[in-house]
Amino acid sequence: KGVLAAFIAMFPSVTVLTLSTIYLEAGMRPVLSYLKGLLFLTPVWIIYLICLVYMTPKHGFWPALVSGVALYFILAWLITFVF
């Protein structure tokens, strides 16, 4: 049941809506820029998930979630503004 729940949670409905809105309002170039940003930050999101998987059993849900989100923001900031 976890895989089905993950599939539903990962279904790209928000991405489809966002891409459609950007395309209708601004055209193809901003859509491509948005997609490149998504690809660029995907590894950071995967690290966030790995952090949750490893920290939750040892430290509990809330500390793992807070740590994962903080790690996500730090890495995203570093990648976006430093590199």
Side-chain angles (χ1 to χ4, degrees):
K1 297 200 172 59
V3 173
L4 177 60
F7 172 78
I8 292 169
M10 293 298 301
F11 188 76
S13 57
V14 173
T15 306
V16 168
L17 182 62
T18 303
L19 291 171
S20 300
T21 303
I22 293 170
Y23 178 75
L24 291 173
E25 294 295 322
M28 183 61 68
R29 194 170 293 205
V31 167
L32 291 173
S33 176
Y34 178 78
L35 289 171
K36 288 175 185 176
L38 282 177
L39 284 174
F40 198 63
L41 290 173
T42 295
V44 176
W45 183 76
I46 292 171
I47 292 170
Y48 155 76
L49 292 178
I50 291 169
C51 177
L52 289 178
V53 167
Y54 285 108
M55 285 190 67
T56 299
K58 295 177 184 175
H59 302 289
F61 174 73
W62 293 112
L65 185 63
V66 169
S67 298
V69 169
L71 181 63
Y72 178 87
F73 278 120
I74 291 167
L75 292 175
W77 182 83
L78 286 171
I79 287 174
T80 304
F81 296 110
V82 175
F83 296 111

